Amino acid sequence: MKVTTSAGTPAYLKNLNEWTLLERIIADGPLSRAELSRRTGLSKPTVSSAILQLLERGLVRETGRGDNSQGRKSTLLEFNRTCYYVIGIDLGATRIRMALGDLEGQICGFRQAPMPGEGVQGAELQALIIAEAEALLREQGVTWHSIQAATIGIPGIVDTASGKVSQLVSPLPGAEESLSRDQLNALLPVRVETENDVNLAALAEYSIRHSVDSGSLLYFSLGEGTGGGLVLNGAIFRGFRGAAGEFANMTLRGERVEEILSAGGLMRLAARFAGEAGEKEDRMLKASITSPERLIEQARGEDPAAIVVLDAYCDLLAEALTNVCAVIAPETVVLGGGIGCNGDVLLPRLESRLSGFASRPSLVVTRHQEKDVVLGAIQTAVQAALRNIRDAYQSLSPSNNMN
């Protein structure tokens, strides 16, 4: 092979300068041209020429004037966060949620639709993803040409190295192959990343609770199923082949945690108490156990029978948290999911049950509610989009110009 371009090629240096300035504006902006020259070491003429190209490409924009103490106020430059967009997708047990985000991770549009019932398989599921994504784009007046990347949160084990998926939760078992990264990249006209859904929720929560990439956060999802996501020093901890955080497979009192702490587990607990109660309490409980939402609402209203069930449920949840935290010792535990987001009834009970735990973490409830997974997906997609832009600028590097 012969290198046909050297590191000193004008086109390569021009791209390198533009990327250097863009990266600085993304990290530190808004900045003036003079300040960019000082921070990057590039000459003022080089900065002016490169900024002109970035403005023409729509990657940066001028925004007001700087606060100069003397002389003419300089024009500031900022990253154009709407030069491209990304998509975040949450394949939930009952709903598919999608969000359009700008390149600063802000949601620009959101939609959700019911997930088909049991047995939804390859072609049908893929068609649903495409249809919902295109509906979202139409609603926001955006085309695929403006999308740089997409991230899909999947309710199962995702091996991010291979892109393979396993152990999908209901109603998706059997759709593993159709949700592999290779198939999704062939399906959508943009770069697709895949990740476990609870990992993405944990990442979204971490980003608003930690100003620097330090510390640890555990996200415990309690809903139709159970799952966990762990973020250490700003990065998702995935474990071997992406299997970290599979709390559903832990055992508690001889049963799988998912059988005990999921929505179904809560209903079985309520039914057991109803069977053991007297006639009056039995009637009260049966009125409360039509759904987890109804039971929690009854407990919130100080219904004695519902409180008994919820107290027993929190005993089990506290025991599970004690076991997990004894090993991981996270600084923060975030509860999420359809059950976990009810912090007003869960947190006081859990705080009292964990009061004697030596390494007791801070217990909180997700701030994002049903959007936690799509927000984490958007954050991940933004990083992929920025890598795409960087790679485009590095396409003229010597290593990419050999024949």
Side-chain angles (χ1 to χ4, degrees), residues 44-97:
K44 290 183 179 180
T46 297
V47 169
S48 295
S49 176
I51 290 298
L52 181 61
Q53 293 298 313
L54 291 171
L55 287 167
E56 289 181 354
R57 295 180 182 184
L59 293 172
V60 301
R61 59 190 175 193
E62 294 180 334
T63 171
R65 301 282 182 174
D67 189 21
N68 297 34
S69 58
Q70 297 178 346
R72 188 177 67 180
K73 295 188 182 301
S74 58
T75 301
L76 297 179
L77 298 151
E78 68 177 4
F79 178 51
N80 181 10
R81 60 188 177 86
T82 58
C83 58
Y84 294 106
Y85 297 91
V86 297
I87 294 176
I89 302 174
D90 172 17
L91 296 178
T94 60
R95 293 185 178 275
I96 178 172
R97 299 180 175 93

Side-chain angles (χ1 to χ4, degrees), residues 26-45:
I26 291 172
D28 301 338
L31 296 170
S32 67
R33 289 168 175 80
E35 184 61 26
L36 283 166
S37 178
R38 284 192 290 272
R39 295 195 185 193
T40 62
L42 297 173
S43 69
K44 290 183 179 180

Side-chain angles (χ1 to χ4, degrees), residues 223-379:
E224 291 300 317
T226 60
L230 180 63
V231 179
L232 301 176
N233 300 325
I236 296 170
F237 178 75
R238 299 182 177 88
F240 182 55
R241 294 182 177 174
E246 289 299 308
F247 295 163
N249 295 324
M250 291 170 48
T251 57
L252 183 64
R253 301 189 183 183
E255 295 185 69
R256 291 177 69 245
V257 161
E258 183 151 301
E259 297 301 316
I260 297 175
L261 297 179
S262 65
L266 177 57
M267 291 296 90
R268 284 187 290 274
L269 183 66
R272 179 169 65 82
F273 271 88
E276 295 173 356
E279 183 177 344
K280 179 181 178 181
E281 291 79 5
D282 181 62
R283 287 197 305 270
M284 294 173 64
L285 270 172
K286 285 180 178 177
S288 303
I289 63 173
T290 54
S291 70
E293 293 80 11
R294 171 70 173 163
L295 176 63
I296 291 170
E297 190 57 39
Q298 290 290 96
R300 189 176 281 122
E302 299 298 324
D303 179 279
I307 287 175
V308 168
V309 177
L310 199 61
D311 282 345
Y313 179 82
C314 286
D315 285 339
L316 295 166
L317 178 55
E319 187 175 339
L321 286 173
T322 298
N323 292 337
V324 172
C325 292
V327 177
I328 299 174
E331 294 177 23
T332 306
V333 171
V334 181
L335 299 182
I339 297 174
C341 67
N342 295 282
D344 60 321
V345 296
L346 293 180
L347 294 184
R349 290 173 167 84
L350 293 174
E351 291 282 1
S352 64
R353 287 162 172 78
L354 296 174
S355 59
F357 190 43
S359 56
R360 183 168 63 88
S362 171
L363 289 174
V364 295
V365 171
T366 173
R367 296 184 188 180
H368 298 126
Q369 302 297 318
E370 78 277 3
K371 294 181 180 177
D372 50 8
V373 177
V374 292
L375 277 166
I378 283 176
Q379 289 180 29

